[in-house]
Amino acid sequence: MDFLRPASWEEALAAKAEHPTAVPIAGGTDVMVEINFDHRRPEYLLDLNRIELLREWEVGEENVRLGASVPYTQIMENLRAELPGLALASHTVASPQIRNRGGVGGNLGTASPAGDAHPALLAAGAEVEVESVRGSRFIPIDEFYTGVKRNALQPDELIKTVHVKKADGPQQYSKVGTRNAMVIAVCAFGLALHPETRTVRTGIGSAAPTPIRAKEAESFLNAALEEGGFWDNGKIITPSIAKQFADLCSGAANPIDDVRGTAKYRRHAVGIMARRQLGWTWEQYRGTGRPLEGAA
Ligand SMILES: Cc1cc2nc3c(=O)[nH]c(=O)nc-3n(C[C@H](O)[C@H](O)[C@H](O)COP(=O)(O)OP(=O)(O)OC[C@H]3O[C@@H](n4cnc5c(N)ncnc54)[C@H](O)[C@@H]3O)c2cc1C
């Protein structure tokens, strides 16, 4: 196995163009596991760790430009206000050691349906900036996941930056696992309220072949909030609206039975998380901290 160590982004792109089968390695928390278990034996490893720009972030007017290799710890410590959903999701990743190494670029590279960054990125609204020697392009996050552990990257492309919309309202993230830390999600859910556009966005993890949004649930809730004047009057969301939203989120899930949980349990848990997160975020939006009326 050859180890390529480009000193700059341009060198990395040139190396990937010359060796399209080279496997990029950032934190290595997915790649090294696969190599150690002999699941993968790439001809070339492309080490991205000397490339400073991948570890940088920038807070702009509307977006955060997040370098592909910014570790989860940095997101938790420095971007909690701008990216609350992603910061919460980062908290649930593995252990401090893994969070110091792993980042969103690696989560996207692996594109596991169970990756914790995905529901938060889907809910916030993100675009993945990828580049090759041929040029760069922006892939909307909804179009990035193309199958189980497959993504929209071409063989010569690398992920440079993830552009995530800055929060304009409350966001939540939660996952169900067999314990509270160091656990792969049985299923996960993310929700973001966007008061500026009077919309909500969702993200579901580990309950379909790819991370997905519950688009029908979003449309239902957007219409219900608009019709009831909720964004303006700040009233408590009725239990029937919350239930219908939760049911539609459950229905959007397309899970399988596996060692971590049954499809039925996953669908149920997605609905529970959706209803709870709607309660939490809406109360935060109203600024009262009161629990959702009628919700158990
Ligand atoms: C003990 C343990 C616990 C874990 N727990 C969790 C968890 O709770 N939640 C979770 O989501 N994940 C978990 N993971 C998986 C892993 O930590 C995450 O997926 C992490 O985000 C990977 O980031 P990385 O930088 O280490 O990626 P790497 O391992 O370096 O790379 C991962 C993939 O992305 C590709 N890649 C990396 N950077 C780029 C780039 N710039 N351009 C193109 N492709 C790129 C690599 O080629 C590879 O295919 C766990 C892993 C371990 C070992």
Side-chain angles (χ1 to χ4, degrees):
M1 192 186 310
D2 275 358
F3 199 61
L4 308 170
R5 291 201 76 212
S8 68
W9 180 241
E10 290 67 31
E11 276 183 37
L13 295 180
K16 192 70 171 118
E18 195 181 341
H19 307 288
T21 58
V23 172
I25 179 165
T29 61
D30 277 325
V31 172
M32 288 314 298
V33 174
E34 291 190 346
I35 291 174
N36 286 341
F37 280 97
D38 257 340
H39 294 159
R40 203 171 197 182
R41 185 111 327 241
E43 203 182 340
Y44 296 97
L45 270 182
L46 178 60
D47 179 16
L48 301 176
N49 282 284
R50 290 168 75 194
I51 301 166
E52 201 57 43
L53 74 87
L54 295 179
R55 281 194 301 276
E56 293 170 354
W57 68 88
E58 190 186 342
V59 178
E61 283 273 299
E62 290 183 3
N63 291 321
V64 175
R65 245 185 97 267
L66 188 68
S69 302
V70 174
Y72 293 112
T73 306
Q74 298 286 346
I75 297 171
M76 287 155 54
E77 288 175 0
N78 300 297
L79 294 167
R80 180 171 298 275
E82 294 83 0
L83 308 177
L86 189 60
L88 283 170
S90 301
H91 253 291
T92 75
V93 173
S95 60
Q97 293 89 337
I98 300 285
R99 293 196 289 266
N100 285 338
R101 294 284 313 164
V104 171
N107 219 228
L108 288 167
T110 300
S112 159
D116 282 303
H118 311 312
L121 295 177
L122 285 164
E127 282 189 321
V128 185
E129 183 182 1
V130 304
E131 204 163 299
S132 70
V133 290
R134 296 175 290 115
S136 64
R137 63 187 178 118
F138 286 76
I139 307 173
I141 192 70
D142 295 69
E143 294 166 24
F144 188 79
Y145 312 106
T146 55
V148 181
K149 295 196 172 185
R150 294 172 63 115
N151 61 38
L153 281 180
Q154 294 298 316
D156 62 345
E157 286 178 326
L158 292 171
I159 302 168
K160 184 179 185 185
T161 314
V162 187
H163 297 249
V164 194
K165 287 214 172 72
K166 270 165 69 177
D168 59 321
Q171 301 185 351
Q172 273 294 339
Y173 177 83
S174 50
K175 86 187 195 193
V176 173
T178 45
R179 56 186 183 184
N180 212 20
M182 277 297 287
V183 74
I184 184 165
V186 174
C187 58
F189 191 81
L191 180 67
L193 303 187
H194 298 285
E196 278 177 19
T197 49
R198 293 173 173 240
T199 54
V200 299
R201 281 177 67 114
T202 57
I204 298 177
S206 228
T210 65
I212 51 165
R213 280 166 66 197
K215 289 191 180 169
E216 210 183 317
E218 293 175 9
S219 302
F220 161 76
L221 188 57
N222 289 338
L225 293 178
E226 205 56 62
E227 268 167 37
F230 286 95
W231 290 108
D232 296 319
N233 62 30
K235 278 205 245 160
I236 294 174
I237 291 178
T238 61
S240 67
I241 293 177
K243 179 172 185 316
Q244 177 76 2
F245 173 68
D247 288 348
L248 288 168
C249 288
S250 261
N254 180 21
I256 52 166
D257 293 329
D258 68 11
V259 286
R260 300 204 304 279
T262 62
K264 190 174 170 201
Y265 176 75
R266 287 185 156 110
R267 245 185 240 109
H268 174 72
V270 165
I272 299 284
M273 286 189 286
R275 184 167 51 78
R276 287 188 183 162
Q277 288 185 29
L278 178 59
W280 296 334
T281 51
W282 192 254
E283 286 314 306
Q284 205 182 330
Y285 174 66
R286 298 171 71 227
T288 66
R290 275 179 285 164
L292 185 64
E293 221 170 47

